[in-house]
Amino acid sequence: MNIKNNITNLRQTLPPGCRLVAVSKTQPLDKIQEAYASGQRDFGENRVQELTSKYEQLPQDITWHMIGHLQTNKVKYIAPFVSLIHSVDSPRLLEEIDHQAGKTGRVIDCLLQLHVAQEETKYGLTEEEARTLIASPAVRNYRHIRIQGLMGMGSLTDNTGQVRREFRSLKAFFDRLQQENLPPNTAMTILSMGMSSDYKIAIEEGSTMIRIGTSLFKTT
Ligand SMILES: *Cc1c(COP(=O)(O)O)cnc(C)c1O
């Protein structure tokens, strides 16, 4: 199996409306080029330095996703080009994204990362924190960000029932927000959930964007 086959096979299993982000962290440029040559355009990275360096060296029509924890002081490096930030987990970070996007004259699409897994170590907002953030008068007035939905990571466990419950509760929250009167810069259109180990469950539970690294870049 090569990367092209992996992508083709994966794409065939995706329902319409579910987008594939190829997670290229730690992958060398030639592997990413191979995925690009198969038509893949959405790529995700979890470190600012690696993201910036790959952006500079790879084709300009790649859509770059920031999927990892983002430090406020590093937003400025990716603001000029990043397409979607999946990992907004604090009001302070969102404020800085708005500020830096304004400086480059852009509007940056963002997802709020929700803490859905059991593990203590994972980043993310609680449902209540996410609601407070969306409803805050400051956020309402941001002109350079657009909150486009939610992101969540399931627990790293073999207990598929637990992972399914986590994704289901995130989807339920997403659906509830969708029914509400959201500010003009907020819409619930993207639900980013599912990685190599759990994307099938995530899709069954309503994911619209999966983030796949290991199983896409593996070659045998
Ligand atoms: C690494 C990573 C992925 C991809 O994980 P795989 O198991 O390699 O598919 C998805 N999302 C985030 C946030 C990641 O850091």
Side-chain angles (χ1 to χ4, degrees):
M1 287 292 271
N2 59 28
I3 294 168
K4 186 183 186 0
N5 286 335
N6 294 344
I7 291 179
T8 308
N9 293 343
L10 199 54
R11 283 195 179 286
Q12 276 164 2
T13 70
L14 295 189
C18 185
R19 201 155 132 197
L20 168 65
V21 177
V23 177
S24 49
K25 67 187 185 200
T26 75
Q27 299 296 336
L29 296 178
D30 63 322
K31 292 259 185 104
I32 304 174
Q33 294 277 17
E34 205 177 321
Y36 179 88
S38 326
Q40 181 65 27
R41 290 295 178 270
D42 288 289
F43 289 90
E45 292 282 336
N46 68 341
R47 287 167 189 273
V48 167
Q49 203 181 347
E50 195 174 341
L51 173 55
T52 307
S53 148
K54 285 174 175 171
Y55 161 72
E56 284 164 1
Q57 298 176 79
L58 287 162
Q60 290 300 300
D61 64 341
I62 287 179
T63 297
W64 288 105
H65 297 246
M66 176 61 192
I67 62 171
H69 181 64
L70 179 56
Q71 284 173 273
T72 305
N73 62 355
K74 295 194 174 163
V75 173
K76 57 178 178 285
Y77 301 115
I78 62 171
F81 68 89
V82 71
S83 289
L84 181 63
I85 299 175
H86 292 231
S87 44
V88 173
D89 59 0
S90 78
R92 178 76 193 87
L93 177 59
L94 195 61
E95 181 187 9
E96 178 65 7
I97 296 169
D98 183 66
H99 176 65
Q100 294 296 338
K103 277 192 175 175
T104 60
R106 300 186 68 220
V107 176
I108 298 180
D109 286 339
C110 296
L111 304 179
L112 300 183
Q113 182 172 355
L114 270 284
H115 179 99
V116 288
Q118 302 285 333
E119 287 114 81
E120 283 296 317
T121 53
K122 297 251 170 87
Y123 295 103
L125 302 161
T126 63
E127 292 188 3
E128 196 178 324
E129 287 166 341
R131 274 186 186 288
T132 306
L133 186 78
I134 291 170
S136 102
V139 172
R140 244 171 213 283
N141 287 320
Y142 291 161
R143 292 288 171 269
H144 296 280
I145 56 100
R146 226 170 9 219
I147 299 173
Q148 293 282 26
L150 307 177
M151 183 272 244
M153 292 172 79
S155 290
L156 284 171
T157 168
D158 293 335
N159 184 342
T160 55
Q162 181 183 329
V163 174
R164 187 180 295 282
R165 280 193 298 279
E166 291 165 359
F167 287 154
R168 191 168 290 180
S169 96
L170 184 59
K171 172 67 159 75
F173 182 53
F174 179 81
D175 287 345
R176 286 200 301 281
L177 288 176
Q178 221 171 34
Q179 302 305 317
E180 292 175 17
N181 211 345
L182 299 168
N185 62 7
T186 302
M188 288 296 130
T189 57
I190 300 173
L191 181 58
S192 167
M193 57 184 200
M195 319 186 358
S196 294
S197 59
D198 56 20
Y199 75 89
K200 287 181 183 146
I201 302 173
I203 287 171
E204 285 165 7
E205 297 301 330
S207 171
T208 72
M209 189 174 273
I210 56 171
R211 310 176 309 271
I212 308 290
T214 316
S215 65
L216 194 150
F217 284 100
K218 73 169 188 284
T219 47
T220 49

